[in-house]
Structures are given as structure tokens and as C-alpha cells.
Amino acid sequence: MDTTTHMKEPSTPDQTLLVLLAQSGDRAALEQLLHDVYTPLRRYIIRLAGVTLADDILQETSIQIFRKLPFLREPAIFRPWSFRIASRIAFSHLKRSRRWQPLDDVPPEQLISLDPSPGELPDEVFVNLLDRVTPASRAVLLLHYQHGLSLEECAAILDIPVGTIKSRLHYGVASLRKHLTPERKPA
């Protein structure tokens, strides 16, 4: 029996302990927390706001985590809390850069440029399609499908009601389907 386990993130008790240590001024614990959350946050931010804004957003997120960590009352929710901070900063950057464009103005040939295998969209095509969804719906799609979070967890991260999460998810999926050509729609 193989007892080695490769975890993408520390277990909740370890993370909770790190948060408590960091709140007490332990610099090594803070660095470990930031290191552990860096990769999932970066992946989320890149998909939400794009590669060009990702480094700035991630840096601002790290600074906000550092500044606000002493005020986090429930250390066990550090990860969703950090995603909430990243989401708010990303939305702010997107609003400032006015990055999204109206969906109706984009020709379909710009959206699908690769030949996907049946029933599966390549990552590049999916990312290209995500750029055509509003940032609010994009955040829900990424948190729910890429990070495997429940709708309730998505609502907690984005600090909005579950009903709004469902609406944004429905709108995002409908927008993605609208831009798929008939031969690429799932059966």
C-alpha cells in the first residue's frame, strides 16, 4: 500500500495553524501561507483577468492578505477569503481597463480557432471563450468548474447570494453555448 500522498494544498488544520502563527507575527508562517495559495490564485486570476494583469493583481492580493490577515476571524477559511480578495481586486482592474467587450460585436470565427476533439474543448478555446463572458460570470465559471467549488462556496468567496451565483453560472454557460458552432455543441 502506497502511503505517499501528493496534496495540492495543505490540510485545513495545517493551514489554520499557519494562519494563527502568521497572525501572531511569524513571518515564516506568512510566507508559507502565501506560497501555498500562490498557484491556485494565479491560475484563477489568469483565467479571470488575463496574463497581462495577473502579476499586478496577484501582487495587490498578496499585499491585501498581508494587511488584512490580522483581522481574519476564522482562520479555517483562509483559502476562500484569499480568493474573495483576489476576485475583488481583479474586478477592479477589469473595470479600470474596460477589458471586456460586448458579446454581439465579436465575430464567431475569432472565438473558435482550434479543432477540438469530439466532446472536448481544448484549453485555449475554453480560455478564448471565457474572454467573451462577463467578469462576474467568468469568476463563477472558474471557481465552480476549474477549482471544483460548490455553489455555496462560490457565493461565500464572491460575497453574493447563492441565487445570484446560479444566475451568473446560467448566464455564463448560455453565453458559452451561444458562441459554439453547431458542430461543436455537446450532444
Side-chain angles (χ1 to χ4, degrees):
M1 183 167 143
D2 185 17
T3 59
T4 58
T5 307
H6 299 290
M7 296 182 69
K8 293 182 181 177
E9 61 187 72
S11 63
T12 305
D14 291 343
Q15 191 175 53
T16 302
L17 179 62
L18 285 173
V19 170
L20 291 170
L21 288 170
Q23 287 176 327
S24 300
D26 186 335
R27 182 175 290 269
L30 175 64
E31 288 176 9
Q32 185 63 45
L33 276 173
L34 291 174
H35 180 267
D36 292 345
V37 79
Y38 176 84
T39 301
L41 276 179
R42 183 164 179 73
R43 184 174 40 242
Y44 172 66
I45 291 168
I46 286 173
R47 297 284 168 86
L48 182 59
V51 175
T52 57
L53 293 175
D55 289 334
D56 291 339
I57 294 169
L58 194 57
Q59 183 176 7
E60 278 186 52
T61 300
S62 298
I63 291 169
Q64 287 301 318
I65 288 172
F66 170 74
R67 287 182 180 163
K68 294 182 178 188
L69 188 61
F71 306 106
L72 179 62
R73 291 184 182 173
E74 294 181 45
I77 65 163
F78 173 77
R79 183 180 163 98
W81 176 76
S82 62
F83 272 86
R84 179 183 295 177
I85 291 172
S87 297
R88 289 179 177 169
I89 292 171
F91 289 149
S92 174
H93 274 265
L94 287 171
K95 285 178 184 174
R96 276 187 260 143
S97 69
R98 298 179 195 268
R99 179 160 176 256
W100 61 85
Q101 56 184 331
L103 294 173
D104 298 332
D105 297 344
V106 180
E109 57 273 2
Q110 255 187 342
L111 295 175
I112 307 272
S113 59
L114 300 175
D115 185 25
S117 51
E120 184 177 307
L121 287 175
D123 208 26
E124 288 182 53
V125 173
F126 180 67
V127 171
N128 195 18
L129 286 171
L130 277 180
D131 284 342
R132 307 304 179 222
V133 178
T134 64
S137 289
R138 189 179 324 146
V140 174
L141 287 167
L142 290 170
L143 290 171
H144 185 63
Y145 291 116
Q146 184 182 30
H147 293 282
L149 299 174
S150 70
L151 296 179
E152 292 78 15
E153 291 170 319
C154 293
I157 288 170
L158 297 173
D159 198 24
I160 56 177
V162 175
T164 304
I165 290 291
K166 290 178 181 178
S167 296
R168 288 180 181 176
L169 184 63
H170 174 73
Y171 174 79
V173 169
S175 295
L176 291 175
R177 285 185 178 149
K178 180 176 111 177
H179 290 291
L180 291 173
T181 57
E183 65 273 4
R184 290 197 170 101
K185 284 190 179 176

